[in-house]
Amino acid sequence: MASREYFEQTATSIAALGRNELEKRIRNFRGRFKLDFTANYLNNLRVDRLRHILLAALINAKPYN
């Protein structure tokens, strides 16, 4: 599991992002797995759901130490 510090720092930085930046980061996500959401799907989600998707992806993409 990701460290508490990483989680808190990541969650705080994501909380400050607006819709456009969240969608951009989800569409351009590069990690151990691919996120494959259509623009239409992302446009219809609430901002808090976009934050949840990005946070989950970043936490799960972090290599385990």
Side-chain angles (χ1 to χ4, degrees), residues 25-44:
R25 290 190 187 196
I26 291 170
R27 284 192 315 271
N28 297 320
F29 179 78
R30 301 288 180 258
R32 296 184 302 166
F33 50 86
K34 181 179 176 168
L35 296 179
D36 189 21
F37 297 108
T38 65
N40 187 46
Y41 178 78
L42 294 174
N43 286 334
N44 287 312

Side-chain angles (χ1 to χ4, degrees), residues 1 7 12 16 38 42 49 63-64:
M1 190 104 192
F7 174 80
T12 301
T38 65
L42 294 174
R49 180 53 99 182
Y64 297 100

Side-chain angles (χ1 to χ4, degrees), residues 4-57:
R4 181 181 176 130
E5 295 81 23
Y6 176 79
F7 174 80
E8 289 176 358
Q9 180 182 22
T10 303
T12 301
S13 66
I14 289 173
L17 299 177
R19 171 177 283 283
N20 291 338
E21 187 63 24
L22 288 163
E23 288 183 20
K24 178 182 166 188
R25 290 190 187 196
I26 291 170
R27 284 192 315 271
N28 297 320
F29 179 78
R30 301 288 180 258
R32 296 184 302 166
F33 50 86
K34 181 179 176 168
L35 296 179
D36 189 21
F37 297 108
T38 65
N40 187 46
Y41 178 78
L42 294 174
N43 286 334
N44 287 312
L45 293 178
R46 296 184 322 244
V47 172
D48 62 326
R49 180 53 99 182
L50 294 172
R51 287 186 177 119
H52 177 87
I53 290 169
L54 184 57
L55 179 61

